């Protein structure tokens, strides 16, 4: 079946009927929470006076660490994160106390009255400084392949440099929040804006001193997440639960934008060193890199994110000798966290910087080196896995042909020759991205499917809908296996239930682009169980015979290729009367993946997603401003389950990737205060920023047997096409510099050398144009 | 406890009460219990809370709709208006055409921003004369979407215009045509009559939200409120207010007898749309697009921006560069002040307590206005400038006989380069009587560098702002006198 709709959620959205956390009707007794946070980046609390908060009219209670009945600990991978600070202050914005009041305004006013005195210490904001002081989370990680040390001798050119990549604010439009609803027996229901309901359940239970079955977490949907609600939705849910537990009334906690911007973690900034050795013909020989990840104050998911940086450190290329090292460095800013790409973009960007430098030294187009070194079938990744079903070269070649890159390049050269104050640049970005959680355990999912006796279907999985279309894909799985007919409005009689821990237990976050694959495969298995029971039952009915030939097609039973009189609805109804089980629960675990951390080798990914994008930019060389003219990509999405959804994910990812490397700049004061604490100071792409053209062509005839219905995961990989945007800008800037008689090769080299810093703001462009 | 006031909420006439300084977003969500209007930022930066505000114009005998950020709209501006939220654009169980286009094109992902986009585009279809794609994009310039990358939204706009644009442009009654086509629910055709009735009933001006309690504290003068509600929302709830956004006498743009006069209460969007102004400043539409967003411009007033005295205010710098004069009034007495003399220090003005800015005016030279405005910000649109600058250059007469032209009068202003919006006195003085040559301009840039004092902040480093202003200074001359100098002479 071909599907081209966004599903029923889209209709709710456009009618304004969708309920996000702040829209849920709450009981009249519901109280509201606001959070008091640390005003210093590093220090020790010497006194905390919450009494003034209680004097604000409407304030009912204030809770701090000592009020926590269970463990004051919400660290996921490492137990290093207190829900409410006890004595040690680690970053500005760290939660210290929760104020509960009759309305959010009173709660915030109360929080504003709390007096905290602290012994202040000098904060550490720079990851290399943290590294120097031994502030490392976990252990340094080293991935290696071949023999790097002896490979340098066989290189014709060796380039080295340092790269600083900036952070990125998620700016999901719906801020963080949760509603905790105590139940009659003292247990707790939490409606949470999280990508990870089981995690919220686990940690709320830990904080409350409960067992997990005493906490139910429900997630109707999210107003955007991008990784920002994988780990960081948890604390707010736990605080609401703590207050609800103490006061035995419902408590709602929703951050406003300023709080969300100031208190929550971002994409990790990295400071990295690289060294790349190549042959004169452009063949990559050896690569060495060290990544200093700015983890922020607590571990959060940083170690897993660092790991993915290493997995993707050589991008879409084969480099026979590599050694990459990663350090997760503890600093005094809000814990940085998951964000689309999960460390992959930071690793790939460094490699692309090295490629650009090597190409400049060799006097070649970067694209020539990129193409020459693309992964081939059977090539070995630094983590010991070999490519299988590798389409890197197919994507690159098709992009070159379909988009007429040679002609395109000539046009740009002509333009640059004719224009002094405007210059264009073209760059390309081949992407290879591994699909699976690199923590093998997380690659499991379960699905609960009910066929109701009227033939309608309810599906429950742990997949959280956040705009990525996973609900629609789950509908398609059930509709396809049961071969249901759509109604007059084009929708199927399938409802995807809200994600709830009582229906799906011990689940993984909806993250790592795996939501559709894992939950889809589990749903497929559950649906097949029911379908087979129904067909077996149908075979026993008079008038329908020969079970092996029976199947379902378009709402009816088909026998020997011929449609029978028995409709889906009738079959279900009769099966119910004959006491056939119309429900199924199935579990899926991605087969054949493993990773041995002691050797840093294994086969951690079910498969890889490939693609290539070309980006054209125009720089106004008088003003230092710029525009992206076109992004054209060939993307291997396997056999797409839904073109509309997959195209939307691609376009959205591309624009977000361009934003990361251009206008989205996160600055901190010397005291560690985030300066991007309002949307006014935190700009993300608007409609005018968008390239005039974004073309995403999906590779044809590329079924992926490891994905649901032969599809490929699509959430994260397109983000990294944005990297080409940065290098397109650089190419345009360099064209201007060359036009100004940029001097000798040596001079050019000197100018180029040294630091690459992102994002490429108009300030960096202008400065580079005229340095 | 507050005076009840009349207004139309979607398809219903309502009588409700609210303090005038309450944010309309809260009024809608808390008091009217409609949650389709979303809170995304409370600072007019995301557009998730966009609503339509329809106003009956007694003189034009019609209803005009503006799309505004309800997070920056005081509830005191709602009485007598048609307040439309996303719920008011939805009919029955189906979708209107804009909603359907969004569904068909996949222009909604997480959905949180979507009601705001639908609202903005509804206003576009109601009010845009030209109904071009560019105007459609500008209509959503204040709406942020983090999911789609906007491409599908652009496709939705294009598909709607492709299919319905011609018919709508030619329609005699746009509202009726939109209802007929399926853009709007049918009750919209009855709104003008109902609003007129409210308007006429209220000739005594009684239909007002309660001005906050008279606490004896200073009355706050509220125009568009687009900055006040970001900076001082608490004050607007607690102090007495005087809302002047409804005062028709303070709005309007006239050009006659070589003078352009702009009412201080004129919304910035009116500057963008004004044909009279475009006849004087040809690229005014282009410049205004760089300023704020469509929603903000429909509320923010010119006078408000000037009084706000931000050192980087866009229209402030623009009017400084036009050599504008402002008219201030108190107790029926008025005085004129040159805008360049109005700013005494950081947020310090030559303005007495109780004085109100009524008008901004500037003269138009007989040979026509040579004016240019430049703005560079991290994000090109809806962003605070790193540096902005405006220049008005007049040439000495009789200099057309070949060779470089002579500057008779130079008016150049810059923002983001000092504690006040800066009139570059020394630079202007230096240029007067000089010929437009590369070396003169380079010398002038040196003079300019000496009279600015930018600081490093989130908008850029000091060094960048110095370099950028230099570039923008050259940009003025390269733009205004393309035949006189070439880029390589100055860069």
């Amino acid at each position: 079946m071909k599907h081209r709709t966004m599903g029923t959620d889209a209709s709710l959205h456009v009618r304004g009927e969708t309920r996000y956390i702040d829209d849920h009707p709450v009981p009249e007794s519901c109280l509201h929470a606001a959070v008091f946070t640390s005003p210093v980046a590093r220090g020790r609390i010497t006194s905390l006076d919450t009494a003034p908060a209680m004097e604000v009219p409407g304030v009912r209670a204030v809770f701090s660490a000592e009020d926590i009945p269970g463990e004051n600990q919400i660290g996921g991978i490492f137990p290093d994160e207190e829900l409410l600070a006890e004595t040690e202050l680690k970053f500005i914005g760290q939660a210290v106390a929760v104020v509960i009041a009759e309305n959010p305004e009173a709660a915030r006013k109360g929080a504003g009255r709390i007096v905290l005195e602290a012994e202040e210490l000098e904060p550490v904001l720079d990851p290399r400084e943290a590294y120097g002081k031994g502030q490392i989370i976990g252990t340094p990680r080293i991935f290696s392949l071949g023999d790097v040390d002896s490979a340098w001798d066989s290189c014709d050119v060796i380039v080295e440099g340092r790269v600083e990549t900036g952070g990125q604010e998620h700016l999901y439009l719906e801020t963080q929040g949760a509603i905790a609803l105590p139940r009659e027996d003292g247990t707790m229901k939490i409606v949470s804006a999280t990508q990870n309901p089981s995690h919220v359940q686990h940690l709320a239970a830990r904080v409350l001193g409960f067992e997990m079955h005493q906490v139910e977490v429900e997630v109707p949907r999210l107003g955007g997440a991008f990784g920002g609600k994988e780990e960081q939705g948890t604390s707010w849910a736990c605080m609401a639960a703590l207050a609800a537990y103490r006061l035995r009334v419902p408590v709602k906690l929703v951050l406003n934008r300023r709080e969300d911007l100031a208190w929550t973690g971002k994409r990790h900034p990295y400071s990295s060193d690289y060294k790349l050795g190549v042959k004169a013909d452009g063949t990559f020989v050896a690569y060495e890199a060290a990544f200093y990840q700015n983890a922020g104050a607590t571990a959060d998911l940083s170690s897993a994110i660092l790991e993915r940086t290493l997995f993707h450190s050589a991008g879409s290329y084969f480099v026979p000798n590599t050694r990459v090292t990663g350090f997760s460095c503890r600093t005094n800013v809000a814990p940085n966290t998951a964000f689309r790409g999960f460390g992959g973009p930071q690793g790939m960007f460094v490699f692309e910087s090295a490629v650009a430098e090597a190409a400049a030294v060799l006097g070649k187009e970067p694209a020539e080196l990129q193409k020459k070194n693309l992964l081939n079938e059977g090539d070995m990744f630094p983590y010991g896995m070999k490519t299988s079903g590798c389409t890197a070269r197919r994507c690159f070649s098709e992009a070159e042909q379909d988009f007429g890159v040679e002609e395109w390049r000539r046009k740009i050269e002509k333009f640059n020759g004719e224009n002094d104050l405007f210059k264009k640049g073209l760059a390309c970005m081949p992407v290879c991205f591994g699909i699976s959680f690199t923590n093998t355990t997380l690659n499991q999912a379960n699905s609960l499917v009910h066929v109701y006796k009227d033939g309608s279907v309810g599906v429950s999985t742990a997949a959280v809908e956040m705009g990525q279309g996973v609900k629609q894909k789950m509908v398609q799985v059930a509709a396809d296996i049961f071969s249901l007919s759509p109604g007059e409005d084009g929708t199927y009689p399938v409802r995807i239930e809200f994600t709830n821990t009582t229906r799906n237990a011990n689940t993984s976050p909806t993250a790592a682009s795996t939501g559709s694959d894992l939950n889809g495969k589990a749903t497929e298995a559950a649906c097949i169980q029911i379908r087979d029971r129904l067909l077996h039952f149908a075979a026993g009915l008079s008038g329908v015979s020969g079970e092996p030939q029976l199947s379902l097609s378009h709402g009816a039973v088909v026998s020997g290729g011929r449609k029978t009189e028995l409709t889906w609805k009738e079959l279900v109804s009769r099966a119910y009367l004959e006491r056939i089980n119309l429900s199924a629960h199935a579990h899926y675990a991605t087969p054949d993946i493993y990773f041995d951390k002691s050797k840093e080798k294994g086969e951690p990914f079910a498969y890889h997603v490939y693609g290539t994008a070309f980006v054209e930019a125009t720089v106004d060389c008088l003003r230092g401003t710029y525009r992206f003219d076109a992004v054209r990509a060939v993307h291997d999405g396997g056999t797409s389950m839904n073109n509309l959804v997959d195209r939307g994910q691609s376009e959205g990812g591309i624009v977000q990737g361009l934003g990361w490397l251009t206008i989205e700049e996160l600055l901190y004061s010397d005291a560690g205060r985030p300066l991007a604490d309002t949307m006014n100071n935190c700009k993300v792409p608007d409609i005018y920023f968008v390239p005039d053209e974004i073309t995403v062509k999906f590779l044809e005839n590329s079924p992926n047997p490891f994905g649901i219905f032969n599809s490929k995961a699509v959430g994260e990989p397109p983000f990294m096409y944005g990297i080409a945007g940065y290098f397109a800008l650089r190419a345009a800037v360099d064209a201007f510099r060359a036009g100004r008689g940029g001097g000798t090769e040596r001079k050019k080299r000197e100018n180029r050398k040294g630091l690459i810093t992102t994002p490429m703001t108009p300030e960096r462009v202008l400065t580079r144009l005229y340095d | 406890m507050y005076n009840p006031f009349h207004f139309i909420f979607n398809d219903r006439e309502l009588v409700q009460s609210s303090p005038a300084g309450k944010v309309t977003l809260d009024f809608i969500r808390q008091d009217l219990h409609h949650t389709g209007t979303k809170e995304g930022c409370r600072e007019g930066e995301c557009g998730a809370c966009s609503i339509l505000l329809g106003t009956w114009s007694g003189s034009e005998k019609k209803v005009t709709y503006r799309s505004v950020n309800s997070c920056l709209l005081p509830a005191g501006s709602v009485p007598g208006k048609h307040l439309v939220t996303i719920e008011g654009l939805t009919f029955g169980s189906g979708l209107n055409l804009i909603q359907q286009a969004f569904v068909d094109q996949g222009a909604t992902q997480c959905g949180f921003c979507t009601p705001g986009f639908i609202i903005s585009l509804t206003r576009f279809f109601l009010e845009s004369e030209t109904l071009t794609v560019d105007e459609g994009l500008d209509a959503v310039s204040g709406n942020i979407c983090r999911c789609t990358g906007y491409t599908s939204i652009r496709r939705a706009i294009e598909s709607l215009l492709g299919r319905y644009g011609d018919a709508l442009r030619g329609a005699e009654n746009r509202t009726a045509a939109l209802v007929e086509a399926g853009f709007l629910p049918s009750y919209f055709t009855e709104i003008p009559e109902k609003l007129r009735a409210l308007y006429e009933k209220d000739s005594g001006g009684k239909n007002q939200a309660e001005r906050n309690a008279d606490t004896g504290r200073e009355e706050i003068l509220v125009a568009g409120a687009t900055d006040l509600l970001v900076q001082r929302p608490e004050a607007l709830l607690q102090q007495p207010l005087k809302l002047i956004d409804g005062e028709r006498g303070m709005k309007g743009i006239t050009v006659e007898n070589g003078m352009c006069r702009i009412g201080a209460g004129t919304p910035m969007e009116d500057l963008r749309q004004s044909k009279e102004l475009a006849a004087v400043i040809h690229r005014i539409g282009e410049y205004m697009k760089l300023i704020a967003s469509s929603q903000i411009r429909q509320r923010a007033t010119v006078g408000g921006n000037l009084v706000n005295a931000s050192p980087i205010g866009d229209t402030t710098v623009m009017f400084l560069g036009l050599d504008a004069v402002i008219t201030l009034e108190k107790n029926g007495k008025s005085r004129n002040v040159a805008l360049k003399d109005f700013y005494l220090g950081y947020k310090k003005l030559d303005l007495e307590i109780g004085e109100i800015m009524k008008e901004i005016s500037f003269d138009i030279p007989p040979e026509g206005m040579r004016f240019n405005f430049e703005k560079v910000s991290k994000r090109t649109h809806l962003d605070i400038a790193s540096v902005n600058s405006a220049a008005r250059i007049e040439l000495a007469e009789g200099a057309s006989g070949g060779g470089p032209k002579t500057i008779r009068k130079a008016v150049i202003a810059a923002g983001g380069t000092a504690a006040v919006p800066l009139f570059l006195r020394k630079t202007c003085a230096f240029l007067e009587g000089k010929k437009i040559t590369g070396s003169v301009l380079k010398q002038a840039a040196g003079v300019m560098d000496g009279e600015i004092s930018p600081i490093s902040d989130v908008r850029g480093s000091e060094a960048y702002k110095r370099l950028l202003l230099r570039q923008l200074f050259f940009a003025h001359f390269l733009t205004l006198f393309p035949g006189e100098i070439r880029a390589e002479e100055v860069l």
Side-chain angles (χ1 to χ4, degrees), chain A residues 673-692:
Chain A
R673 181 173 299 281
L675 299 177
D677 57 351
T678 61
M679 268 186 81
N680 191 358
N681 288 336
C682 184
K683 297 294 178 182
V684 299
D686 62 349
I687 200 163
Y688 284 123
F689 175 89
V690 178
D692 298 332

Side-chain angles (χ1 to χ4, degrees), chain A residues 16-35:
Chain A
E17 288 165 350
T18 311
R19 286 183 191 150
Y20 304 89
I21 282 290
D22 200 23
D23 304 326
H24 279 271
V26 291
E28 280 219 19
S29 58
C30 185
L31 297 177
H32 298 265
V35 185

Side-chain angles (χ1 to χ4, degrees), chain A residues 501-522:
Chain A
T501 54
T502 64
R503 287 188 291 271
N504 300 98
N506 308 318
T507 56
S508 300
T510 303
S513 306
T514 61
S516 298
D517 273 350
L518 295 177
N519 295 289
K521 290 271 193 183

Side-chain angles (χ1 to χ4, degrees), chain A residues 543-567:
Chain A
V544 184
S545 60
E547 182 183 355
Q549 283 83 44
L550 287 187
S551 62
L552 294 169
S553 177
H554 297 93
V557 174
V558 170
S559 175
R562 307 243 306 262
K563 202 167 176 174
T564 68
E565 297 286 301
L566 189 57
T567 66

Side-chain angles (χ1 to χ4, degrees), chain B residues 467-487:
Chain B
L467 171 62
L468 181 55
L469 181 59
R470 182 183 168 88
Q471 298 294 114
L472 298 186
F473 174 76
F474 294 143
H476 288 313
F477 287 89
L478 289 169
T479 305
L480 290 172
F481 306 101
E484 298 292 312
I485 55 159
R486 283 169 299 121

Side-chain angles (χ1 to χ4, degrees), chain B residues 83 122 143 156 163 171 235 238 249 267 276 309 314 351 397 405 432 436 439 460 490:
Chain B
L83 175 63
T122 302
N143 294 90
R163 190 136 175 232
Q238 287 156 8
E276 290 84 0
D314 288 317
L351 185 73
E397 280 178 44
K405 295 196 165 77
E432 274 167 29
I436 300 175
S439 71
V490 287

Side-chain angles (χ1 to χ4, degrees), chain A residues 560-618:
Chain A
R562 307 243 306 262
K563 202 167 176 174
T564 68
E565 297 286 301
L566 189 57
T567 66
W568 162 258
K569 281 193 171 189
E570 197 183 335
L571 171 65
V572 169
S573 164
R574 289 173 71 173
Y576 165 72
L577 291 173
E578 293 303 320
R579 300 184 293 173
I580 304 297
N581 181 2
L582 296 175
S583 296
H585 178 266
H587 179 263
Y588 176 77
T590 311
D592 306 326
I593 54 171
Y594 71 98
F595 192 71
D596 182 349
K597 278 193 185 178
S598 67
K599 299 192 181 75
E600 302 286 25
K601 297 283 182 199
E603 302 213 353
F605 298 117
Y607 58 91
H608 291 80
V609 172
Y610 298 92
T612 290
F614 284 83
V615 178
E616 179 191 311
T618 303

Side-chain angles (χ1 to χ4, degrees), chain A residues 15 23 623 679 681 684, chain B residues 38 43 94 374 379 459:
Chain A
R15 291 166 59 91
D23 304 326
R623 300 169 180 88
M679 268 186 81
N681 288 336
V684 299
Chain B
K38 307 299 181 193
E43 50 173 323
E374 296 281 341
R379 187 174 69 194
R459 315 282 168 217

